Amino acid sequence: MPSPPPTSSPPQLNDTSDVSAERRFREAEDRLREAVEELQRRQRSARQLHQPPCDHADESCVANAIGNLCQSFLLSYGVRVGIGILLRAFKLARGKSYSSLLDLKNSKALDACYIVFRVFDFVEGMMGQDFSRLAQCAYNSAKSKNKFHLWGSHWRHGDSLLFSLACAQVMYAFVMRPESLPKSYQDFIQKTGPVARPVYKAVRDCCRGSRVDVASLSAFLASKKGHNSVKLEEFPSIIPCSIIHPDTNSCLAHNSKAASATFRKTFPLYFSLTFVPFVVLRLQKFMDAPVRTCWLAVKGAVRSTSFLSAFVGIFQAVICLHRKVATKDHKLVYWVAGGMAALSVLLEKKARRGELALYVLPRAGDSLWYILVNRHFLPDIKNAEVALFCACMGGIMYYLEHEPDTMAPFLRGLIRRFLASRISNPGTTSNRSASYSYLQALDAMKKPKLQDNRDAETSASEKYNIESIPGL
């Protein structure tokens, strides 16, 4: 019988050829990738040696720094002047003379220039603010990496609790240790509240067991109309309500009057602080929707003013309530009163509570630091606030560049608005080389095939010795 015709090569050999070709193709891709990466490394080294590392290629570093300085000054100057003019407009509406609106001797516009030459007068206050912001960034960074978190940080009203503790220390310091607070902060609390300065001094002397200045207290009470005579003692156990609010005999009426008076006094300030920065920093949005901007400013000012008015009313109510049930005063009463009054922050928006807490916290920290140093529990280091201020600013700029998500949105937006450099406004405008684009496209094509190739290679290696097949 004739022999059968010769058959073609087995299909297994064809499969082996396809797998080996695919493997050689992948090896070629890997070598090409290594070559492209080496080329990129050489290009980066060349740019570092022959080109400036900054992104402002069209101008020098000095010119860029001076431009940022001028822009920041003009923005802050505009905010300062706008707030001053708007506050004077409110005074004009209350019946002041029209000429006071343009009175240059008292104008806040001149204060804006004067502030530039008194930077170190503000370093201590700025140091506290920067330290709290840096602590916030560091804590958020550690928490996001599951390295550290505070007990109670997940609480819904943790920010309100922090604000309450800070206010407790501030109000205690205002009554018992006013020298531990900045003069401007003392004046703000004094003008906002309804209790006169001589009365606070008498309360302070009473709590310390010192002699009360009866002469100055009598002169203050004599200036009040309708005040009933009260027997004053040099060493009283407690200052009664009849001296704290001599204008009225009713504590409830006094507290209601104090809250309403606070609202009238602080609404122009809060409206200015809400309206002017929005107009100066977001002028285009204001031009697009001026009515909406005014409405949001009014609504925000009413909410913030209501919070502060409630704070004053609750603080005074706690003090009056203590005098109804106790016969001896104690300095811790004012710490507790400040903490309870701070619960009025719940009237504010959730996002604002944390900002308020971080605003008051440095004041409380400064006061506590002063008291501890004064009592020789901590050493007094000269110019320590300047060094700490520099360190805190360095830390804040580090987090702005490398971990911006750890910063509060308000602070991040504010810094990026004032700093016009690309370090604070990162974008996607940087040019990518052709090699970079090739690597990205190569990864995109290779990922969908990766699993299939691995499966084919595994099945082939079970049947044949892949190492025996030569490469390129």
Side-chain angles (χ1 to χ4, degrees):
M1 295 181 60
S3 60
T7 59
S8 60
S9 60
Q12 289 82 358
L13 295 179
N14 292 335
D15 295 340
T16 303
S17 300
D18 293 341
V19 172
S20 61
E22 184 71 20
R23 180 178 178 82
R24 288 194 297 271
F25 178 74
R26 287 199 306 272
E27 291 176 352
E29 282 185 343
D30 293 339
R31 287 195 291 272
L32 180 59
R33 174 186 291 275
E34 294 175 358
V36 171
E37 290 177 350
E38 178 64 24
L39 178 61
Q40 285 185 334
R41 283 193 293 269
R42 293 181 180 179
Q43 289 177 349
R44 285 194 296 267
S45 301
R47 284 196 298 267
Q48 292 176 358
L49 292 175
H50 303 288
Q51 294 183 3
C54 303
D55 292 331
H56 48 83
D58 55 339
E59 59 184 2
S60 64
C61 294
V62 175
N64 182 69
I66 294 176
N68 287 341
L69 174 64
C70 295
Q71 178 180 350
S72 301
F73 174 79
L74 291 176
L75 286 175
S76 57
Y77 183 90
V79 172
R80 178 81 176 182
V81 172
I83 292 175
I85 292 177
L86 195 56
L87 288 176
R88 288 191 173 275
F90 275 104
K91 291 182 180 180
L92 180 64
R94 290 180 177 179
K96 301 293 182 180
S97 63
Y98 288 86
S99 60
S100 65
L101 183 62
L102 300 177
D103 186 3
L104 294 180
K105 293 182 179 180
N106 298 320
S107 176
K108 296 298 182 183
L110 297 180
D111 292 344
C113 296
Y114 186 54
I115 285 176
V116 178
F117 300 100
R118 299 187 60 190
V119 174
F120 285 98
D121 291 346
F122 297 90
V123 166
E124 186 173 357
M126 288 296 296
M127 179 272 296
Q129 294 290 333
D130 291 339
F131 182 78
S132 63
R133 297 295 182 175
L134 178 60
Q136 181 190 30
C137 294
Y139 172 73
N140 290 336
S141 176
K143 186 177 180 181
S144 64
K145 300 173 184 176
N146 295 324
K147 293 183 178 179
F148 174 77
H149 70 89
L150 293 175
W151 175 79
S153 60
H154 60 284
W155 292 354
R156 181 181 179 184
H157 298 295
D159 46 8
S160 301
L161 177 61
L162 180 62
F163 180 75
S164 180
L165 294 175
C167 286
Q169 173 62 30
V170 168
M171 295 310 298
Y172 167 83
F174 174 72
V175 178
M176 299 304 304
R177 301 296 296 267
E179 69 277 6
S180 65
L181 295 175
K183 184 63 167 58
S184 58
Y185 213 62
Q186 296 180 44
D187 294 340
F188 174 76
I189 298 177
Q190 183 66 54
K191 293 178 181 179
T192 304
V195 180
R197 198 180 299 271
V199 177
Y200 278 125
K201 186 179 184 304
V203 170
R204 185 162 53 252
D205 294 337
C206 176
C207 291
R208 293 175 177 174
S210 304
R211 184 189 302 272
V212 175
D213 190 353
V214 177
S216 62
L217 194 58
S218 299
F220 163 73
L221 295 176
S223 64
K224 298 296 180 179
K225 296 182 180 179
H227 171 66
N228 298 325
S229 60
V230 179
K231 183 180 179 180
L232 302 177
E233 302 177 4
E234 292 185 348
F235 296 95
S237 60
I238 193 171
I239 302 297
C241 291
S242 57
I243 297 179
I244 292 179
H245 47 85
D247 295 332
T248 176
N249 296 326
S250 173
C251 295
L252 181 60
H254 164 72
N255 296 333
S256 301
K257 182 180 178 181
S260 60
T262 301
F263 190 96
R264 292 193 301 270
K265 287 186 292 186
T266 58
F267 177 80
L269 174 63
Y270 273 112
F271 180 79
S272 303
L273 293 176
T274 306
F275 179 76
V276 174
F278 190 92
V279 173
V280 175
L281 301 179
R282 301 180 180 179
L283 182 59
Q284 186 60 43
K285 290 186 177 180
F286 171 72
M287 298 299 294
D288 295 339
V291 177
R292 184 174 181 273
T293 301
C294 294
W295 166 246
L296 292 177
V298 171
K299 186 171 66 173
V302 169
R303 194 167 189 170
S304 298
T305 307
S306 300
F307 142 69
L308 189 60
S309 301
F311 184 100
V312 173
I314 295 174
F315 183 79
Q316 294 300 319
V318 173
I319 293 177
C320 290
L321 180 62
H322 171 253
R323 278 151 176 77
K324 298 297 183 183
V325 299
T327 58
K328 187 176 181 180
D329 205 357
H330 196 280
K331 57 185 179 182
L332 290 181
V333 172
Y334 305 97
W335 195 93
V336 174
M340 296 184 65
L343 296 178
S344 61
V345 77
L346 296 174
L347 296 176
E348 277 281 11
K349 294 188 298 184
K350 176 67 175 177
R352 282 273 296 163
R353 297 172 195 171
E355 296 296 329
L356 289 171
L358 291 178
Y359 173 76
V360 180
L361 184 61
R363 304 297 184 183
D366 291 342
S367 171
L368 183 60
W369 179 278
Y370 177 90
I371 294 174
L372 293 177
V373 170
N374 185 258
R375 294 185 176 182
H376 304 289
F377 290 116
L378 292 176
D380 185 12
I381 304 175
K382 293 184 178 180
N383 299 323
E385 64 276 3
V386 178
L388 187 58
F389 171 76
C390 296
C392 291
M393 284 302 301
I396 288 176
M397 298 309 295
Y398 167 82
Y399 282 107
L400 178 67
E401 169 69 6
H402 298 285
E403 300 181 43
D405 293 338
T406 61
M407 304 182 70
F410 171 78
L411 178 63
R412 184 172 64 246
L414 187 63
I415 295 179
R416 287 179 174 175
R417 183 64 184 89
F418 275 86
L419 296 181
S421 61
R422 291 191 180 184
I423 189 174
S424 59
N425 294 279
T428 58
T429 58
S430 57
N431 295 327
R432 299 294 190 181
S433 62
S435 58
Y436 178 86
S437 302
Y438 171 78
L439 289 177
Q440 295 297 103
L442 187 61
D443 288 335
M445 291 188 302
K446 194 171 182 180
K447 285 180 180 179
K449 299 180 180 179
L450 184 60
Q451 187 63 33
D452 296 338
N453 294 338
R454 287 180 179 176
D455 295 340
E457 183 177 353
T458 302
S459 60
S461 62
E462 294 175 353
K463 297 180 180 180
Y464 302 98
N465 185 8
I466 302 300
E467 297 296 331
S468 62
I469 301 177
L472 292 177

